[in-house]
Amino acid sequence: MEQHISERVQSLATSATLAMSQKSAELKAQGVDVINLSVGEPDFPTPAHIKEAAKKAIDDNFTFYTPVAGYLSLRKAIAEKLQKENGVAMQPEQIVVGNGAKQALCNVILASINPGDEVIIPTPAWVSYVEMVKLAEGSVVELPAGIENDFKITPEQLRGAITDKTRMILLCSPSNPTGAVYSAEELQGLVDVITAHPQIIVMADEIYEHINYTGSPIRSLGSFPEIADRVVIINGVSKAYAMTGWRVGYCAAPLWLAKAVNKLQGQYTSGSSSIAQKAAEAAYTGSQQCVEDMRVAFERRRDLVVELAKAIPGLKVNKPSGAFYLFPEVSAFLGKKFGDKVIATSGDLALYLLEEAHVATVDGAAFCAPGYIRLSYATSDDNIRRAMERIAAALKKLN
Ligand code: PMP
Ligand code: GLU
């Protein structure tokens, strides 16, 4: 049959993080000893008390369709978390649980963006933001911030990007892919600009809030009273509780938007898994020690990867303050050769590192930042050491 792929899907890029991870898994299956620093997910198993809650949910027959927005008990637990940890007052009716933060983000974009609406995205930015806006036929306005600015935009930059058509700004802190964290003062500077533009929805992706090495809690954008009525908080259990496969995330939004998201989700996926929701409820209501234990491990690995990467001539590295990614600038290697193969782009370099060093990374271009590569250090200390040795050796071979 003649193939009919919609223009909508044809125009989408494949998720580079997932594609690179799949490629690395395929090589591994062929017996190649690949170290996977591509996909960003905690390497820890889900904590035992959370797994127990899921087993109990099955035995207690939580096996039926769930409310579209998620169990009320889970949404209450999330509302309590938002109040207690973030100082954000949200009613359970303002929360819609979906299949991961990814769906929550896409829901909000599809429910609020019309064709031609502008969405401001500071870059480097996580791979899916731009594609989600494209899906909604919105226009992406990229606001670049390089390593020299610790990957953070300034209030002046933001002010200059706002037009009559700006409908949303999407901010991710701690950031994937850079690990940059905005301080409360830096956020206040951005909030002061946004306050003057009441038509702008502020989407705050706070999924890495607990993977934070700054020594002080992340200030949630939802806690700024000036914009509290138009902030959408995105979060979930994937990163903080090592639950990427369970697929539970949420948006906490103004009621009118939560209602629209609920309508949308009710037509195309329904409520997320009953069992995963009960597990997530246990994550939010149980002991938070597991979150801190993993954070400590990630901080040790951050220190290790930064130390090793800084020792590699040509790699330009900053010290990330959160998340579990390093985003080195690699322009010193572009234009160099391996045999007769020219490394022209950061994409070529990521491919070269996969083929020559057997280390999977992600091309910065996937995050709207060519000239960089992303390394996820959510892996063992031993893997980090071996990977960085291999990268150093492979980079040395380029001339
Ligand atoms: N936002 C960011 C910045 C992420 O890195 C991820 C992880 N891919 C997500 C959202 C989505 O997370 P999940 O769908 O697993 O909850
Ligand atoms: N957050 C992860 C990453 O950026 C998961 C993969 C994805 O969903 O893109 O690698």
Side-chain angles (χ1 to χ4, degrees):
M1 180 196 167
E2 200 189 324
Q3 295 183 4
H4 290 284
I5 310 287
S6 67
E7 284 169 21
R8 185 178 304 112
V9 170
Q10 281 185 54
S11 73
L12 283 187
T14 301
S15 166
T17 46
L18 298 180
M20 196 60 165
S21 182
Q22 198 171 320
K23 203 165 188 167
S24 129
E26 281 163 14
L27 280 174
K28 243 184 194 158
Q30 292 165 22
V32 181
D33 170 28
V34 179
I35 303 173
N36 187 2
L37 305 187
S38 64
V39 76
E41 65 174 338
D43 55 322
F44 302 104
T46 301
H49 69 283
I50 299 174
K51 293 198 279 199
E52 284 309 318
K55 292 175 199 169
K56 185 167 180 316
I58 297 174
D59 289 339
D60 290 350
N61 294 315
F62 282 94
T63 53
F64 299 92
Y65 284 131
T66 63
V68 171
Y71 288 128
L72 182 59
S73 54
L74 173 58
R75 287 183 286 126
K76 277 185 175 162
I78 294 169
E80 275 166 29
K81 171 252 182 282
L82 288 169
Q83 184 67 67
K84 200 168 118 202
E85 289 186 351
N86 308 110
V88 175
M90 289 275 182
Q91 299 305 312
E93 295 69 33
Q94 294 177 262
I95 295 165
V96 182
V97 176
N99 292 288
K102 196 178 249 184
Q103 187 187 7
L105 277 158
C106 201
N107 277 343
V108 173
I109 290 171
L110 287 175
S112 62
I113 298 301
N114 276 322
D117 284 351
E118 291 175 2
V119 177
I120 296 177
I121 303 183
T123 60
W126 178 49
V127 286
S128 295
Y129 295 157
V130 167
E131 302 306 318
M132 288 172 181
V133 173
K134 269 180 13 196
L135 206 54
E137 296 176 57
S139 302
V140 172
V141 177
E142 290 183 27
L143 270 194
I147 196 163
E148 61 287 352
N149 300 320
D150 197 22
F151 301 110
K152 289 187 264 192
I153 60 159
T154 61
E156 293 67 41
Q157 252 184 305
L158 179 59
R159 191 174 293 115
I162 294 174
T163 73
D164 290 348
K165 289 191 181 149
T166 308
R167 185 75 180 123
M168 178 183 282
I169 165 160
L170 214 170
L171 206 76
C172 178
S173 171
S175 155
N176 178 0
T178 66
V181 175
Y182 286 85
S183 68
E185 293 69 36
E186 287 165 337
L187 288 178
Q188 184 69 62
L190 300 179
V191 167
D192 289 345
V193 173
I194 296 164
T195 306
H197 301 275
Q199 86 280 11
I200 301 179
I201 297 169
V202 182
M203 182 115 87
D205 185 343
E206 298 179 351
I207 194 146
Y208 293 98
E209 70 171 323
H210 288 303
I211 306 171
N212 165 19
Y213 321 121
T214 62
S216 35
I218 301 291
R219 172 94 191 255
S220 170
L221 269 169
S223 71
F224 289 85
E226 306 93 306
I227 55 165
D229 65 338
R230 53 206 171 93
V231 171
V232 179
I233 296 174
I234 298 291
N235 210 328
V237 292
S238 284
K239 317 290 172 177
Y241 301 95
M243 292 177 69
T244 48
W246 297 78
R247 311 309 303 130
V248 177
Y250 63 85
C251 68
L255 189 59
W256 57 270
L257 187 48
K259 281 184 177 166
V261 164
N262 195 324
K263 181 162 88 169
L264 176 69
Q265 182 160 292
Q267 287 293 13
Y268 86 114
T269 61
S270 305
S272 69
S273 153
S274 54
I275 299 150
Q277 284 191 50
K278 294 310 280 183
E281 197 179 315
Y284 285 123
T285 55
S287 163
Q288 301 300 299
Q289 189 56 41
C290 55
V291 179
E292 174 60 10
D293 291 347
M294 290 188 270
R295 190 203 69 78
V296 168
F298 288 132
E299 183 163 5
R300 186 186 66 242
R301 294 163 177 185
R302 187 275 311 255
D303 291 344
L304 177 65
V305 80
V306 167
E307 182 197 323
L308 297 174
K310 279 199 166 150
I312 299 178
L315 275 191
K316 211 195 251 178
V317 178
N318 71 334
K319 192 170 184 184
S321 305
F324 35 61
Y325 306 104
L326 188 68
F327 204 61
E329 205 257 10
V330 296
S331 59
F333 302 97
L334 305 186
K336 291 198 171 187
K337 278 184 171 175
F338 178 64
D340 54 7
K341 197 155 74 186
V342 181
I343 307 291
T345 64
S346 47
D348 293 343
L349 190 71
L351 211 58
Y352 168 72
L353 291 176
L354 181 63
E355 286 166 358
E356 184 58 29
H358 295 156
V359 177
T361 61
V362 185
D363 175 12
F367 306 95
C368 309
Y372 294 83
I373 57 170
R374 190 191 78 173
L375 280 59
S376 162
Y377 55 87
T379 187
S380 67
D381 296 29
D382 185 47
N383 271 349
I384 292 171
R385 278 202 190 85
R386 289 192 309 129
M388 298 312 285
E389 258 170 41
R390 290 184 189 185
I391 290 176
L395 293 177
K396 220 172 168 180
K397 288 184 200 163
L398 296 176
N399 49 44

